[in-house]
PDB file of all heavy atoms in Angstrom:
ATOM      1  N   ALA A 231      10.388  10.775  15.152  1.00  0.00           N
ATOM      2  CA  ALA A 231       9.891   9.398  15.194  1.00  0.00           C
ATOM      3  C   ALA A 231      10.692   8.457  14.305  1.00  0.00           C
ATOM      4  O   ALA A 231      10.285   7.312  14.102  1.00  0.00           O
ATOM      5  CB  ALA A 231       8.418   9.360  14.770  1.00  0.00           C
ATOM      6  N   TYR A 232      11.817   8.920  13.769  1.00  0.00           N
ATOM      7  CA  TYR A 232      12.569   8.061  12.848  1.00  0.00           C
ATOM      8  C   TYR A 232      13.207   6.868  13.551  1.00  0.00           C
ATOM      9  O   TYR A 232      13.252   5.768  13.003  1.00  0.00           O
ATOM     10  CB  TYR A 232      13.648   8.875  12.133  1.00  0.00           C
ATOM     11  CG  TYR A 232      13.143   9.910  11.155  1.00  0.00           C
ATOM     12  CD1 TYR A 232      14.005  10.878  10.648  1.00  0.00           C
ATOM     13  CD2 TYR A 232      11.812   9.936  10.738  1.00  0.00           C
ATOM     14  CE1 TYR A 232      13.563  11.842   9.751  1.00  0.00           C
ATOM     15  CE2 TYR A 232      11.357  10.887   9.843  1.00  0.00           C
ATOM     16  CZ  TYR A 232      12.235  11.841   9.350  1.00  0.00           C
ATOM     17  OH  TYR A 232      11.799  12.798   8.462  1.00  0.00           O
ATOM     18  N   PHE A 233      13.777   7.077  14.729  1.00  0.00           N
ATOM     19  CA  PHE A 233      14.429   6.009  15.492  1.00  0.00           C
ATOM     20  C   PHE A 233      15.429   5.249  14.616  1.00  0.00           C
ATOM     21  O   PHE A 233      16.227   5.867  13.939  1.00  0.00           O
ATOM     22  CB  PHE A 233      13.389   5.084  16.129  1.00  0.00           C
ATOM     23  CG  PHE A 233      12.510   5.766  17.144  1.00  0.00           C
ATOM     24  CD1 PHE A 233      11.165   6.012  16.873  1.00  0.00           C
ATOM     25  CD2 PHE A 233      13.021   6.201  18.356  1.00  0.00           C
ATOM     26  CE1 PHE A 233      10.358   6.659  17.785  1.00  0.00           C
ATOM     27  CE2 PHE A 233      12.234   6.853  19.294  1.00  0.00           C
ATOM     28  CZ  PHE A 233      10.884   7.088  19.002  1.00  0.00           C
ATOM     29  N   ASP A 234      15.375   3.893  14.614  1.00  0.00           N
ATOM     30  CA  ASP A 234      16.364   3.084  13.883  1.00  0.00           C
ATOM     31  C   ASP A 234      15.885   2.664  12.496  1.00  0.00           C
ATOM     32  O   ASP A 234      16.669   2.143  11.700  1.00  0.00           O
ATOM     33  CB  ASP A 234      16.691   1.809  14.678  1.00  0.00           C
ATOM     34  CG  ASP A 234      17.178   2.102  16.077  1.00  0.00           C
ATOM     35  OD1 ASP A 234      18.072   2.952  16.220  1.00  0.00           O
ATOM     36  OD2 ASP A 234      16.643   1.504  17.033  1.00  0.00           O
ATOM     37  N   LEU A 235      14.603   2.881  12.217  1.00  0.00           N
ATOM     38  CA  LEU A 235      14.009   2.335  10.997  1.00  0.00           C
ATOM     39  C   LEU A 235      12.709   3.080  10.740  1.00  0.00           C
ATOM     40  O   LEU A 235      11.968   3.392  11.677  1.00  0.00           O
ATOM     41  CB  LEU A 235      13.707   0.843  11.194  1.00  0.00           C
ATOM     42  CG  LEU A 235      12.974   0.080  10.100  1.00  0.00           C
ATOM     43  CD1 LEU A 235      13.909  -0.214   8.939  1.00  0.00           C
ATOM     44  CD2 LEU A 235      12.418  -1.230  10.648  1.00  0.00           C
ATOM     45  N   VAL A 236      12.420   3.392   9.480  1.00  0.00           N
ATOM     46  CA  VAL A 236      11.117   3.967   9.135  1.00  0.00           C
ATOM     47  C   VAL A 236      10.347   2.958   8.281  1.00  0.00           C
ATOM     48  O   VAL A 236      10.936   2.126   7.596  1.00  0.00           O
ATOM     49  CB  VAL A 236      11.260   5.320   8.404  1.00  0.00           C
ATOM     50  CG1 VAL A 236      11.814   6.369   9.349  1.00  0.00           C
ATOM     51  CG2 VAL A 236      12.112   5.197   7.141  1.00  0.00           C
ATOM     52  N   ARG A 237       9.001   3.060   8.340  1.00  0.00           N
ATOM     53  CA  ARG A 237       8.135   2.070   7.674  1.00  0.00           C
ATOM     54  C   ARG A 237       7.183   2.748   6.688  1.00  0.00           C
ATOM     55  O   ARG A 237       5.965   2.707   6.873  1.00  0.00           O
ATOM     56  CB  ARG A 237       7.303   1.303   8.706  1.00  0.00           C
ATOM     57  CG  ARG A 237       8.063   0.553   9.775  1.00  0.00           C
ATOM     58  CD  ARG A 237       7.123  -0.373  10.545  1.00  0.00           C
ATOM     59  NE  ARG A 237       5.902   0.268  10.975  1.00  0.00           N
ATOM     60  CZ  ARG A 237       5.704   0.830  12.168  1.00  0.00           C
ATOM     61  NH1 ARG A 237       6.671   0.837  13.069  1.00  0.00           N
ATOM     62  NH2 ARG A 237       4.538   1.388  12.480  1.00  0.00           N
ATOM     63  N   PRO A 238       7.667   3.353   5.627  1.00  0.00           N
ATOM     64  CA  PRO A 238       6.762   3.983   4.662  1.00  0.00           C
ATOM     65  C   PRO A 238       6.002   2.941   3.850  1.00  0.00           C
ATOM     66  O   PRO A 238       6.547   1.899   3.481  1.00  0.00           O
ATOM     67  CB  PRO A 238       7.708   4.790   3.774  1.00  0.00           C
ATOM     68  CG  PRO A 238       8.988   4.011   3.822  1.00  0.00           C
ATOM     69  CD  PRO A 238       9.076   3.478   5.220  1.00  0.00           C
ATOM     70  N   GLY A 239       4.746   3.258   3.570  1.00  0.00           N
ATOM     71  CA  GLY A 239       3.938   2.426   2.692  1.00  0.00           C
ATOM     72  C   GLY A 239       3.520   3.221   1.476  1.00  0.00           C
ATOM     73  O   GLY A 239       4.124   3.142   0.412  1.00  0.00           O
ATOM     74  N   ILE A 240       2.479   4.039   1.600  1.00  0.00           N
ATOM     75  CA  ILE A 240       1.913   4.773   0.468  1.00  0.00           C
ATOM     76  C   ILE A 240       2.952   5.671  -0.211  1.00  0.00           C
ATOM     77  O   ILE A 240       2.924   5.856  -1.433  1.00  0.00           O
ATOM     78  CB  ILE A 240       0.678   5.589   0.922  1.00  0.00           C
ATOM     79  CG1 ILE A 240      -0.194   5.993  -0.285  1.00  0.00           C
ATOM     80  CG2 ILE A 240       1.078   6.790   1.759  1.00  0.00           C
ATOM     81  CD1 ILE A 240      -1.034   4.890  -0.837  1.00  0.00           C
TER      82      ILE A 240
END
Side-chain angles (χ1 to χ4, degrees):
Y232 292 167
F233 297 109
D234 304 311
L235 175 76
V236 292
R237 302 191 312 266
I240 198 77

